[in-house]
Amino acid sequence: TRPSKQLLFLFAQCATIVSLCHAFQNVAISSTIPSSHANFKLSKVAEFGKLTECKSSSSTLKMSQTGGGDKLREATGIRPSIHPITINAVAEALKIRAQKNKRMPLRYTEDGVEPYEIMMSAGNIAQDTIQKRQKTSKQDGMMLTEEEEQTLGGRIVAVIVRLEELEEVLVKKCKKVDWISKYNEWNTFGVLKDEEVDGMEDLIDKEVLNNPLFGMNRAECLLAVFLETIEKPGLARNGVIVPCMDVDFLDSDRYEALFLQKEEEEKKKKKEAALEAKRKEIEANVKKALEERAKADAQEDQV
């Protein structure tokens, strides 16, 4: 049987939006943050020191202080998207999981793996991602702001600790789209044709390691599923806005297949229902006309 997912979900909820340092230090969160993200007591991560520090003051960092950067972007105030960094981190997590590194457990179905261990692994990946990004950004003047750091770190952790949950949703969505199977476009979504069958983990891991594009496509789709089905609805209910909320990194075909399929099905059903109603109306009118004609003919015969 699978280990209890209660703690895993607790961590994932906590890591979605709230600053990692705030979450792990049990700091009360502003009322604008969803209540499900606030005031958690996470005793299992007491040793998670590096992530709890969060001493970056990059939110007040001025571009001119870096001595470089894109002047046009600086003038417009447009920030670079954090989606590519998140996708690369998730793709890296998929590779680490495929390598079955016991020091970095990322699959809670494995024997002896505790949910908090997965959280620790996810946190390490998030921390490493942010540190590398900040280091390389010193020269281009595009260092992450504090808000971007918090959103990026929380989002990476939240996706990684939910990998198996999100993968199940992704596979189910792909199975409902006829053209994916018809044209064998599984790789486009980073999914195997028979992935829903039990015991496919080794084949998935093998494909991730041998096919970088498969892993990248999978990472993109998993992040998209997380944003559209988990993060965005929660933020909308509470009126919270964070950087890069839109799924603008998927092409239109994949986005429609994953998130507009239900709408298309509903439109199709409504159209079919409307056509059926129209057909019945025409039949009723024809029947009525025939009955009136028959009645008129009968009256003429009597005369």
Side-chain angles (χ1 to χ4, degrees), residues 87-98 106 125 156 160 163:
I87 293 167
N88 287 335
V90 175
E92 180 64 20
L94 291 173
K95 287 197 294 185
I96 292 173
R97 187 182 68 173
L106 287 172
I125 294 173
I156 291 172
I160 293 176
L163 276 180

Side-chain angles (χ1 to χ4, degrees), residues 119-241:
M119 179 63 185
M120 298 283 281
S121 298
N124 286 333
I125 294 173
Q127 173 191 317
D128 186 57
T129 298
I130 292 173
Q131 287 180 342
K132 287 180 178 178
R133 168 64 183 178
Q134 296 295 57
K135 183 177 180 180
T136 58
S137 296
K138 286 182 179 180
Q139 298 302 318
D140 62 23
M142 278 293 148
M143 292 186 69
L144 297 171
T145 66
E146 184 175 358
E147 183 183 23
E148 288 169 342
E149 277 189 357
Q150 294 172 0
T151 303
L152 175 61
R155 202 171 272 166
I156 291 172
V157 172
V159 172
I160 293 176
V161 299
R162 282 184 171 94
L163 276 180
E164 289 162 79
E165 173 191 344
L166 295 172
E167 285 169 330
E168 290 179 7
V169 175
L170 175 60
V171 172
K172 288 179 181 179
K173 284 180 174 291
C174 290
K175 286 290 183 179
K176 293 180 180 179
V177 183
D178 293 336
W179 63 263
I180 295 178
S181 177
K182 181 178 180 180
Y183 298 106
N184 194 29
E185 291 289 340
W186 302 102
N187 187 76
T188 304
F189 295 82
V191 171
L192 296 180
K193 181 179 180 180
D194 299 317
E195 189 166 324
E196 77 278 11
V197 179
D198 290 337
M200 293 289 288
E201 289 86 354
D202 288 342
L203 291 178
I204 296 170
D205 291 345
K206 183 178 180 181
E207 191 67 19
V208 167
L209 294 175
N210 295 336
N211 187 350
L213 182 59
F214 176 89
M216 190 61 67
N217 288 341
R218 191 180 186 90
E220 289 178 340
C221 291
L222 291 175
L223 175 59
V225 170
F226 170 75
L227 292 175
E228 285 289 326
T229 65
I230 297 177
E231 183 181 278
K232 187 178 291 186
L235 296 180
R237 285 193 298 270
N238 294 276
V240 179
I241 298 176

Side-chain angles (χ1 to χ4, degrees), residues 12-297:
Q13 286 293 323
C14 184
T16 304
I17 298 302
V18 181
S19 152
L20 291 178
C21 63
H22 285 179
F24 295 138
Q25 291 176 343
N26 306 313
V27 174
I29 308 301
S30 166
S31 59
T32 60
I33 298 296
S35 59
S36 61
H37 291 67
N39 297 323
F40 284 108
K41 184 174 180 60
L42 305 179
S43 58
K44 286 287 188 180
V45 291
E47 63 190 78
F48 205 19
K50 292 183 179 180
L51 271 177
T52 65
E53 294 177 359
C54 285
K55 295 180 180 178
S56 171
S57 58
S58 56
S59 60
T60 59
L61 182 66
K62 301 297 182 182
M63 302 281 283
S64 59
Q65 291 178 310
T66 65
D70 187 328
K71 298 303 180 183
L72 177 60
R73 190 187 292 273
E74 178 183 354
T76 60
I78 298 174
R79 299 289 300 165
S81 173
I82 60 174
H83 286 323
I85 313 171
T86 312
I87 293 167
N88 287 335
V90 175
E92 180 64 20
L94 291 173
K95 287 197 294 185
I96 292 173
R97 187 182 68 173
Q99 293 166 350
K100 297 178 174 56
N101 187 340
K102 292 185 178 181
R103 292 184 177 182
M104 292 277 284
L106 287 172
R107 184 175 276 128
Y108 71 83
T109 54
E110 294 177 354
D111 293 338
V113 175
E114 295 291 338
Y116 80 90
E117 294 179 276
I118 296 177
M119 179 63 185
M120 298 283 281
S121 298
N124 286 333
I125 294 173
Q127 173 191 317
D128 186 57
T129 298
I130 292 173
Q131 287 180 342
K132 287 180 178 178
R133 168 64 183 178
Q134 296 295 57
K135 183 177 180 180
T136 58
S137 296
K138 286 182 179 180
Q139 298 302 318
D140 62 23
M142 278 293 148
M143 292 186 69
L144 297 171
T145 66
E146 184 175 358
E147 183 183 23
E148 288 169 342
E149 277 189 357
Q150 294 172 0
T151 303
L152 175 61
R155 202 171 272 166
I156 291 172
V157 172
V159 172
I160 293 176
V161 299
R162 282 184 171 94
L163 276 180
E164 289 162 79
E165 173 191 344
L166 295 172
E167 285 169 330
E168 290 179 7
V169 175
L170 175 60
V171 172
K172 288 179 181 179
K173 284 180 174 291
C174 290
K175 286 290 183 179
K176 293 180 180 179
V177 183
D178 293 336
W179 63 263
I180 295 178
S181 177
K182 181 178 180 180
Y183 298 106
N184 194 29
E185 291 289 340
W186 302 102
N187 187 76
T188 304
F189 295 82
V191 171
L192 296 180
K193 181 179 180 180
D194 299 317
E195 189 166 324
E196 77 278 11
V197 179
D198 290 337
M200 293 289 288
E201 289 86 354
D202 288 342
L203 291 178
I204 296 170
D205 291 345
K206 183 178 180 181
E207 191 67 19
V208 167
L209 294 175
N210 295 336
N211 187 350
L213 182 59
F214 176 89
M216 190 61 67
N217 288 341
R218 191 180 186 90
E220 289 178 340
C221 291
L222 291 175
L223 175 59
V225 170
F226 170 75
L227 292 175
E228 285 289 326
T229 65
I230 297 177
E231 183 181 278
K232 187 178 291 186
L235 296 180
R237 285 193 298 270
N238 294 276
V240 179
I241 298 176
V242 297
C244 299
M245 296 173 61
D246 294 329
V247 179
D248 54 9
F249 50 87
L250 285 185
D251 56 81
S252 59
D253 287 341
R254 286 193 294 173
Y255 186 87
E256 290 174 7
L258 293 178
F259 307 114
L260 300 182
Q261 193 68 18
K262 186 177 181 180
E263 294 181 12
E264 292 299 322
E265 290 175 359
E266 291 177 353
K267 288 181 181 178
K268 184 178 179 181
K269 288 180 180 179
K270 288 181 180 180
K271 184 177 180 179
E272 291 175 349
L275 290 173
E276 180 64 16
K278 189 67 176 178
R279 183 184 66 79
K280 289 182 178 180
E281 181 183 355
I282 293 173
E283 287 180 351
N285 291 336
V286 171
K287 183 179 180 180
K288 182 179 179 180
L290 291 174
E291 290 175 348
E292 290 177 350
R293 180 60 185 270
K295 185 177 180 181
D297 290 345

